[in-house]
Amino acid sequence: MSGVVVGFIGLGTMGREMVRNLVKAGHTIQAFDVVPAAVEEAVASGARAARSIAEAASGAAVVVTMLPDTPDVEGVILGEGGLRANPPAGRLIVDMSTISPQAVRSLSATLAAEGIDLIDAPVSGGPQGAKSGTLTIMAGGEAGAFARARPVLAAMGTTINHVGDSGAGQTVKLCNQLMVGINIQSVCEALALARASGVNLEQMREVLLGGSAASWMLDRLGPAMIAGDTDAGFRIDLQLKDLRLVGELATSLAVPLPGLALVSAQYLDAKAHGEGSNGNQALFKVYDRMTNQRSG
Ligand code: NAD
């Protein structure tokens, strides 16, 4: 599927980088976002501007969506002027947002009745992974549809796995997000203790990266936590959205997740302090407050 026409809807933090890599791989991108400046930026990256969902889908082999939350994806697919009424020529939609697995299964059944395939293909790796085209992509849906989507996914990620039926990609992603939240919290906790003890935090991070407590969070987000850098890669509001989705899934399956409850309360504390648009590493500010210290 080299050099196909791809509709791309949702040109935010992640989508704008994914579009660049799709263009680089030789695909023709029809880019749409409700924010006109985001479309202009995509055009500067080599995409064609689409003025509507229908224009993004027109003549495309596949449409990729990269939107904030479940209602956004439902709106773009089922809403007026949406993809159900205006499917791409290839009758394939790949949603790479993080949304509810239950909602994906329902959308997939609705679309299947009209001969349209939906693949859920959420990602991990953050804006850096999106920029370098090295995202981890976990896909759910019908195997044949996944095989058709794969060459397009290959322009955006390096670890690409089909993990099961519709919704399975989102389920794996939610497990990832549960671990992300708890992992960040564990790094915050260790840093708070070390800071109170007067230990050099940079040195501690270096040392721990060589031992059994090493983690992606300590490696990639530790420096920003230590510096008090709150810049957003992955916003606290989006982290809370994912923790909410984890909670909904766990409740539906009657699986108790005490770690989720604790870390959700801490992210809600951050939001209550007006920090929802900070990066998720800025959970450390909650520890600043609890210990009456300042990071940075
Ligand atoms: P974002 O908010 O930066 O971008 C979303 C884009 O969608 C925005 O440009 C917005 O204008 C656009 N949009 C919203 N509704 C729309 C509609 N109806 N039609 C067209 N465009 C619409 O979000 P993001 O950080 O790029 O994340 C997108 C998804 O990817 C989320 O589900 C998020 O949880 C997931 N994700 C994000 C990261 C990250 O590090 N930022 C990492 C992995 C997964």
Side-chain angles (χ1 to χ4, degrees):
M1 213 199 241
S2 76
V4 299
V5 178
V6 179
F8 201 107
I9 301 175
L11 308 165
T13 307
M14 298 294 284
R16 71 166 72 98
E17 305 296 347
M18 294 155 82
V19 161
R20 281 203 187 104
N21 286 318
L22 284 164
V23 169
K24 266 192 229 154
H27 300 297
T28 300
I29 307 305
Q30 301 180 158
F32 176 67
D33 195 291
V34 284
V35 176
V39 177
E40 280 166 32
E41 192 186 336
V43 169
S45 302
R48 286 187 196 154
R51 281 162 300 176
S52 64
I53 293 168
E55 229 179 85
S58 174
V62 53
V63 170
V64 175
T65 49
M66 193 54 173
L67 299 158
D69 201 349
T70 309
D72 306 304
V73 176
E74 288 173 337
V76 162
I77 292 178
L78 303 179
E80 208 185 318
L83 291 170
R84 178 166 61 161
N86 301 280
R91 304 192 84 75
L92 176 62
I93 300 171
V94 177
D95 177 43
M96 303 187 76
S97 332
T98 306
I99 67 166
S100 151
Q102 298 98 315
V104 168
R105 282 193 283 275
S106 160
L107 280 171
S108 174
T110 304
L111 291 171
E114 318 227 350
I116 305 167
D117 288 309
L118 174 67
I119 292 291
D120 49 305
V123 306
S124 181
Q128 297 138 314
K131 191 169 184 171
S132 56
T134 57
L135 290 168
T136 292
I137 301 174
M138 39 218 115
E142 200 266 315
F146 169 72
R148 286 194 289 136
R150 194 178 181 117
V152 169
L153 297 176
M156 299 178 275
T158 39
T159 307
I160 303 167
N161 286 293
H162 183 227
V163 295
D165 293 340
S166 180
Q170 293 296 352
T171 302
V172 172
K173 171 66 181 175
L174 293 185
C175 293
N176 183 79
Q177 291 311 91
L178 173 62
M179 290 178 69
V180 161
I182 293 174
N183 221 311
I184 289 177
Q185 189 244 1
S186 77
V187 175
C188 289
E189 210 141 286
L191 289 175
L193 180 63
R195 180 171 61 185
S197 313
V199 162
N200 180 295
L201 298 186
E202 266 123 33
Q203 193 184 23
M204 179 181 98
R205 173 180 162 275
E206 292 278 321
V207 170
L208 295 190
L209 281 176
S212 57
S215 71
W216 193 100
M217 297 302 158
L218 182 64
D219 183 21
R220 311 282 180 93
L221 299 185
M225 290 180 185
I226 294 167
D229 175 357
T230 59
D231 274 4
F234 188 69
R235 296 194 303 279
I236 281 174
D237 280 339
L238 284 178
Q239 180 72 46
L240 269 168
K241 180 260 299 182
D242 290 353
L243 295 175
R244 187 197 82 227
L245 293 172
V246 174
E248 287 168 7
L249 182 63
T251 304
S252 76
L253 297 169
V255 178
L257 297 177
L260 170 73
L262 174 61
V263 83
S264 297
Q266 292 186 329
Y267 273 107
L268 285 169
D269 178 307
K271 186 174 175 63
H273 283 85
E275 295 164 1
S277 50
N278 283 348
N280 59 356
Q281 79 283 355
L283 186 72
F284 197 37
K285 278 185 156 290
V286 173
Y287 282 82
D288 284 355
R289 282 190 283 276
M290 288 196 288
T291 55
N292 198 25
Q293 301 266 339
R294 275 176 69 90
S295 43

